[in-house]
Structure formats: C-alpha cells, structure tokens
Amino acid sequence: MKPKRRRLTFVLIGMGLLGVAAALVLAAFRDSIVFFYSPTEIHAKALPAEQRIRVGGLVEEGSLEKTTGGGTVTFRITDLAETIAVTYTGILPDLFREGQGVVAQGRFQDGVLKADEVLAKHDENYMPPEVADALKKSGQWEHMKDAMQGAGQIPGEAAK
C-alpha cells in the first residue's frame, strides 16, 4: 500500500470513529435536552406525550386551584393568546401567584402539562427571557407591558 493511500485510509477511519463518537454523545444528550415552548407554539405543534418540555407564560388570573389535603395545584399558563392547563404536586415557589411570569417543566398527559418543576420570577421587575420572547412573538408584549405598568410594575431589561 502506498503511503498516500495509507494516510487516506487512516483519515477515513478516524472520521468514521469521530462520527460514531458524535452520534453517541448526541444520543446521550437526547433525553436531557428540554425545549422551551409558549402556549401558542404548543397549540400549533403536535408534541409527543413522552417529550419533556418547558412552558412559559403568565399564570392566568383566576385559574389557580389547590386541592384539599394535598399539595397538588392546578393552574393555566397563558401568553395572552392561548392557555395551557398545568398540574403540579409539590411546594410552589414563594413568588408564585396569578398574573406573574412562570416557567413549568414536565410532560403532557391527556392535554395537561404534568409539571415536576415550577419556576417563578425572582423580583418584580424580572420576566424570564423565554417568557418575554414568547410574549413578543405572540404580539402580546405591548398589552402585557401596559398591564404591568398599570399594576405599578416597571418592566426590567427583559422589557426592552
């Protein structure tokens, strides 16, 4: 075998091994990758039930219900265009309340997001960037900005 052909064979084998390694890494990350969606995007797409997702928006006013005796709460997340029903069992963050930005992570079952993690904003002027972007995409940001200013809240950097 000529030296040039030997080098070419070595390079091809190396590229094949690198491709296999990349495929194995992507397969390992596949289960831990969680995509963010707004309620409008969820209604527009058919997501598989077993897919783990993050949903962000505002907790719809009047939608929060707590079960008696249990730590299960139900509420709806809205981007002011669409809503998603959420069920969560556990302790909610102290800052969780209706009309505030929230991100819930979990899986869909029977049209309801069964959340295993709920994150709330950490101060009055903060809006999770994903939520702000989703509101801007849905065209509801100006309405939300006006509502926040009307409630005495001044949007922070995410509002710009």
Side-chain angles (χ1 to χ4, degrees):
M1 186 182 289
K2 295 180 179 177
K4 185 177 181 181
R5 179 167 229 148
R6 191 177 323 151
R7 279 187 299 220
L8 181 62
T9 304
F10 183 71
V11 168
L12 290 176
I13 290 172
M15 290 178 65
L17 290 174
L18 188 61
V20 169
L24 291 173
V25 168
L26 290 176
F29 283 130
R30 184 177 175 189
D31 291 335
S32 62
I33 294 174
V34 180
F35 292 102
F36 178 84
Y37 295 98
S38 69
T40 300
E41 292 171 331
I42 290 173
H43 281 280
K45 297 179 181 178
L47 299 175
E50 67 276 359
Q51 183 178 359
R52 189 170 163 79
I53 63 169
R54 299 178 84 192
V55 178
L58 305 171
V59 179
E60 189 175 59
E61 296 284 340
S63 68
L64 182 62
E65 296 178 15
K66 296 180 181 179
T67 59
T68 56
T72 302
V73 295
T74 60
F75 56 95
R76 289 188 299 274
I77 295 177
T78 182
D79 61 359
L80 304 176
E82 296 288 344
T83 61
I84 297 294
V86 179
T87 299
Y88 175 71
T89 302
I91 299 172
L92 288 169
D94 291 338
L95 299 173
F96 180 88
R97 61 182 178 254
E98 294 178 349
Q100 297 297 319
V102 67
V103 175
Q105 183 171 311
R107 300 177 197 279
F108 266 102
Q109 292 177 353
D110 302 324
V112 176
L113 180 70
K114 305 286 184 186
D116 53 26
E117 184 176 6
V118 174
L119 305 171
K121 69 177 194 165
H122 59 76
D123 72 18
E124 291 182 2
N125 298 326
Y126 178 75
M127 173 78 64
E130 297 94 349
V131 174
D133 291 342
L135 289 172
K136 289 175 184 174
K137 282 183 185 176
S138 70
Q140 302 294 325
W141 179 247
E142 290 301 320
H143 172 73
M144 182 60 209
K145 187 177 168 184
D146 293 342
M148 290 176 70
Q149 287 174 341
Q153 299 175 349
I154 300 169
E157 288 298 312
K160 295 179 181 175

